[in-house]
Amino acid sequence: MRSTIRIVASIPDIVDSTRGFERWLKGVIPLRQHELDYKHEMMAADTFSFLRATFYRWAELAPQELPDLADAPRVLAVGDLHVENFGTWRDLEGRLVWGVSDFDEAFRMPFTYDIVRLATSAGLAAAEGHLNIDLKQACAAIMAGYSAALRSGGRPMVLAEQDRWLRKLAAGRLRDPVVFWARLQALPTARGPVPPNLKTLLVQRLPNGSEAVRYVRRRSGLGSLGRERLVAVADWRGSRGQGDGPVGVGMGTQGSRGQPDLLPRPGDIRGALP
């Protein structure tokens, strides 16, 4: 009679996992301890915040907890995908567009991980009262949207040309520019030298001809808390412009119009989606 031996890999608990990740990260980039302390407080606040702040834990557990998804085609996935990683910005032509706006955890992995993580975040956000949607409806919308995005090339939505209801929603939630710039201008200038490579990246996000560039620190997000986040603020033709981002340990590839090219071509999925 043949016996079956099951080997279960030992996975550290969340405390050891977090310590290990932060210890590794400190060896790669400088970290701000008080920001990490704040991140830990937010992780303990609710399950949705915990998910947002712990992509490293998701990456650690997913292969074991979701073995049926591990054989799906690998793509350059968003990785840290959740419902608050979508937003609006202006493209090179000044049009308001909507799409995924956070790529600092992009990595090659099964495309199914992105879909399941996004659906998980929708369920947790609904449970915490952040979204008013049924989980089954959310899953159906995610599958339909992902499939449609593959067929259209995976580009952000230009709100002036499509999705009228989303355009109205986005326009209604745009931040007051007076308040936005007042808060940004009130931030103190960052102390110490700005790394040349980071300075180059930030300046490239500013309009040509920007003057009086100033670098400030800003707190934003959850997953990237603890990393150095700098904002370049400058004068441009009598008005102000800004470019910002956290210090990252990896970058996604760039597609047309300067947008990250993270979604696969439809043929890459090989019929895995309806």
Side-chain angles (χ1 to χ4, degrees), residues 40-200:
H40 298 160
E41 293 177 7
M42 296 300 294
M43 287 166 57
D46 58 73
T47 53
F48 180 54
S49 297
F50 179 87
L51 179 78
R52 291 177 57 199
T54 56
F55 170 63
Y56 57 90
R57 186 63 169 175
W58 177 275
E60 185 177 49
L61 294 178
Q64 178 171 309
E65 298 297 327
L66 305 171
D68 294 341
L69 304 182
D71 293 333
R74 291 178 175 265
V75 301
L76 185 55
V78 178
D80 180 24
L81 190 58
H82 55 77
V83 293
E84 291 200 6
N85 266 355
F86 293 80
T88 57
W89 64 92
R90 299 286 178 179
D91 67 5
L92 296 179
E93 298 176 12
R95 301 174 301 180
L96 187 65
V97 296
W98 182 90
V100 178
S101 57
D102 188 344
F103 300 98
D104 60 352
E105 305 287 359
F107 193 74
R108 292 197 66 83
M109 62 181 67
F111 79 95
T112 45
Y113 285 5
D114 265 358
I115 296 175
V116 172
R117 182 173 169 83
L118 180 57
T120 301
S121 74
L124 294 178
E128 298 288 346
H130 301 297
L131 282 179
N132 183 20
I133 190 171
D134 177 80
L135 181 57
K136 289 185 177 180
Q137 292 177 323
C139 290
I142 289 168
M143 290 298 294
Y146 196 95
S147 300
L150 288 176
R151 289 191 292 269
S152 65
R155 299 301 178 192
M157 297 180 182
V158 179
L159 296 185
E161 301 173 358
Q162 53 188 317
D163 289 281
R164 180 177 300 177
W165 72 269
L166 186 58
R167 180 172 71 249
K168 291 181 178 179
L169 177 64
R173 298 184 62 183
L174 289 177
R175 288 175 288 187
D176 184 335
V178 176
V179 175
F180 172 79
W181 284 111
R183 290 177 178 174
L184 202 59
Q185 287 295 106
L187 294 174
T189 300
R191 296 181 180 179
V194 177
N197 59 335
L198 181 57
K199 183 182 295 187
T200 299

Side-chain angles (χ1 to χ4, degrees), residues 202-211 213 232 234-237 239-243:
L202 291 175
V203 170
Q204 286 176 347
R205 295 190 177 192
L206 295 172
N208 292 331
S210 296
E211 300 176 340
V213 180
D235 293 331
W236 182 71
R237 297 183 181 179
S239 62
R240 294 189 176 92
Q242 62 94 18

